[in-house]
Amino acid sequence: MEDISRLRNIAIVGTHHSGKTTLVEALLSTCGAISRRGSVGDGTTTTDFEPECIEHLQSTCVGFAYTVCGDVDLNIIDCPGFVDFLEETKIAMLAADAAVVVIDADPGRIGQTKTLIDFIEAHKLPHIFFVNKMDRPGADFFGTLSALQQAYGMHVVAQQVPIGAGEAYRGFVDLAENIAYLCEGTEHKETALPADLQAIVSDQRTKLLEALGDFDDHLLEELLEGIEPSRDEIRKDLCEDCSHDQIIPVLAGSGQTGAGVRALLEAIEREFPSPAVESRHDAAGNIVVPDPKGPV
């Protein structure tokens, strides 16, 4: 690869049965890397190709996939979620520049992510929470968001607010843009902000901007003076703060239906660092120079 600034090495991690491999299929399909989405139940997914994975209907080893997404070359590392394979997942994450942490829209499962998040934070790995299965009955985005903040701090902030939940889930509001979108498969189109979400969106957007203001004095001054920051300034801060692991954005969607997947890809492209931007270190603490011809 000649231009490593295009590269994104992303680990897809999370608890068991949170839908990581299904989400990977949705990512690959959305980017056009595969013509037909595989199924975990049918044993036809791209990254769960080992006989043991197919037999047990779960990832039992690390899987890899590659695709081109807009202006980036995306290397995807699909990591198993069962605690039995945690050491494999940890080793795989050492080769990643960022991680998408896939979780159920169920606050009761957040405690199962602690060991994983402790490792991610210890290695200062930029990461995003993707609240998956928003189309499932009982999906609770705000309860899950609150549980994440209680567990990992108020630097965990919503980047989206879902429109509906369960069978009524139909889209999201992008808080940085302050625009609502309806999802049709993996595509989303702009729509009017639902009246019943206006207060919630205003509250969550204020929290997002305040979190960004912790690392940007100019934006903080604007907020204190009641000035609406520009969309470009918000996007710039969001990209910088996420790539430096200063905030952890929370997005929502469904890997099964593809809803929210394109927005996740856009976040990966904009908010995660390339190897050329964020230095990585080896076990001895030495900087690893990103050289295609360098040692493994």
Side-chain angles (χ1 to χ4, degrees), residues 23-77:
L23 178 61
V24 170
E25 286 294 299
L27 293 170
L28 295 174
S29 175
T30 302
C31 294
I34 55 177
S35 58
R36 182 179 179 182
R37 287 181 53 173
S39 162
V40 172
D42 294 338
T44 55
T45 63
T46 305
T47 50
D48 274 2
F49 56 86
E50 293 286 352
E52 190 174 14
C53 298
I54 296 172
E55 179 183 352
H56 293 282
L57 302 180
Q58 67 185 48
S59 300
T60 59
C61 60
V62 176
F64 299 89
Y66 166 80
T67 186
V68 176
C69 173
D71 293 328
V72 303
D73 298 297
L74 183 58
N75 288 326
I76 298 173
I77 309 172

Side-chain angles (χ1 to χ4, degrees), residues 8 10 12 23-32 67-72 74 76 100 128 130 160 186-188 251 258 260-272:
R8 301 292 184 276
I10 308 301
I12 308 294
L23 178 61
V24 170
E25 286 294 299
L27 293 170
L28 295 174
S29 175
T30 302
C31 294
T67 186
V68 176
C69 173
D71 293 328
V72 303
L74 183 58
I76 298 173
V100 174
I128 282 174
F130 184 77
Q160 296 175 350
T186 60
E187 301 300 323
H188 50 261
L251 287 76
V261 170
R262 188 166 294 280
L264 174 61
L265 282 165
E266 292 169 358
I268 289 172
E269 179 179 351
R270 288 193 305 255
E271 297 164 25
F272 280 163

Side-chain angles (χ1 to χ4, degrees), residues 25-203:
E25 286 294 299
L27 293 170
L28 295 174
S29 175
T30 302
C31 294
I34 55 177
S35 58
R36 182 179 179 182
R37 287 181 53 173
S39 162
V40 172
D42 294 338
T44 55
T45 63
T46 305
T47 50
D48 274 2
F49 56 86
E50 293 286 352
E52 190 174 14
C53 298
I54 296 172
E55 179 183 352
H56 293 282
L57 302 180
Q58 67 185 48
S59 300
T60 59
C61 60
V62 176
F64 299 89
Y66 166 80
T67 186
V68 176
C69 173
D71 293 328
V72 303
D73 298 297
L74 183 58
N75 288 326
I76 298 173
I77 309 172
D78 183 12
C79 301
F82 274 91
V83 66
D84 309 52
F85 311 110
L86 180 59
E87 293 308 310
E88 278 193 55
T89 294
K90 287 180 177 180
I91 292 171
M93 281 194 289
L94 293 176
D97 297 306
V100 174
V101 184
V102 184
I103 54 175
D104 287 277
D106 176 3
R109 295 199 67 190
I110 298 303
Q112 299 174 17
T113 64
K114 185 178 186 308
T115 302
L116 186 64
I117 300 302
D118 284 349
F119 181 86
I120 287 174
E121 292 187 342
H123 289 79
K124 299 180 179 179
L125 192 67
H127 53 297
I128 282 174
F129 285 113
F130 184 77
V131 181
N132 196 21
K133 303 181 183 179
M134 281 300 305
D135 56 324
R136 294 287 184 89
D140 182 0
F141 176 82
F142 294 105
T144 302
L145 174 64
S146 178
L148 287 171
Q149 291 170 336
Q150 290 177 23
Y152 305 119
M154 296 307 292
H155 60 300
V156 177
V157 288
Q159 185 173 333
Q160 296 175 350
V161 165
I163 300 174
E167 292 182 354
Y169 173 66
R170 60 188 188 279
F172 62 90
V173 180
D174 185 309
L175 296 177
E177 296 183 351
N178 204 22
I179 296 176
Y181 294 94
L182 290 181
C183 294
E184 297 180 356
T186 60
E187 301 300 323
H188 50 261
K189 63 178 183 179
E190 189 173 333
T191 188
L193 176 63
D196 62 336
L197 282 180
Q198 289 181 359
I200 295 173
V201 167
S202 177
D203 177 62

